[in-house]
Amino acid sequence: QVQLVESGGGLVQAGGSLRLSCAASGSIFSINNMGWFRQAPGKQRELVARITSGSTTNYADSVKGRFTISRDNAKNTVYLQMNSLKPEDTAVYYCNAKIVSSYGLALSDYWGQGTQVTVSS
């Protein structure tokens, strides 16, 4: 089995920073894209940032210039550095990864359990 475990959420004042981490573990053959999504109350889950296995990145317009996604392939970990946080960034943040499992070599989508980020004004 494959698991994604997130950490780093919390409560921060507007203008502050947080760093999220997500580590993949288990029967992993390879990891393709990794990314972060978020879901605010009453809203649909949306893409925040994505990074390919070759480290090409893309961001939602709302976070460009404030958030940075990166990955450490040796540790199977993806990070999201969030700076200049705004109250509208408040949401549950989910890690996502497209992973080829060692069993059957099938590419599947995996999700973390979610971590709450709350930005106070």
Side-chain angles (χ1 to χ4, degrees):
Q1 288 290 346
V2 174
Q3 283 188 319
L4 299 182
V5 178
E6 300 150 351
S7 60
L11 173 64
V12 65
Q13 287 188 332
S17 299
L18 283 174
R19 188 191 194 209
L20 305 182
S21 300
C22 172
S25 63
S27 303
I28 297 171
F29 179 78
S30 65
I31 303 177
N32 293 1
N33 293 354
M34 304 184 82
W36 290 93
F37 288 71
R38 67 186 181 187
Q39 187 166 20
K43 295 187 176 182
Q44 288 190 333
R45 189 173 297 190
E46 62 175 0
L47 173 68
V48 176
R50 179 187 289 122
I51 184 167
T52 69
S53 57
S55 295
T56 298
T57 59
N58 66 285
Y59 298 89
D61 288 343
S62 59
V63 307
K64 282 181 181 177
R66 300 187 298 122
F67 291 10
T68 302
I69 189 171
S70 61
R71 64 191 284 172
D72 184 335
N73 292 328
K75 295 181 179 179
N76 290 339
T77 299
V78 62
Y79 305 96
L80 186 68
Q81 177 66 43
M82 305 185 292
N83 298 329
S84 302
L85 282 160
K86 304 175 181 180
E88 50 263 45
D89 294 317
T90 295
V92 177
Y93 283 69
Y94 295 92
C95 173
N96 170 262
K98 299 188 185 302
I99 295 175
V100 178
S101 168
S102 298
Y103 294 111
L105 297 180
L107 178 66
S108 300
D109 246 352
Y110 292 90
W111 292 89
Q113 79 282 5
T115 185
Q116 177 70 46
V117 171
T118 302
V119 184
S120 63
S121 57

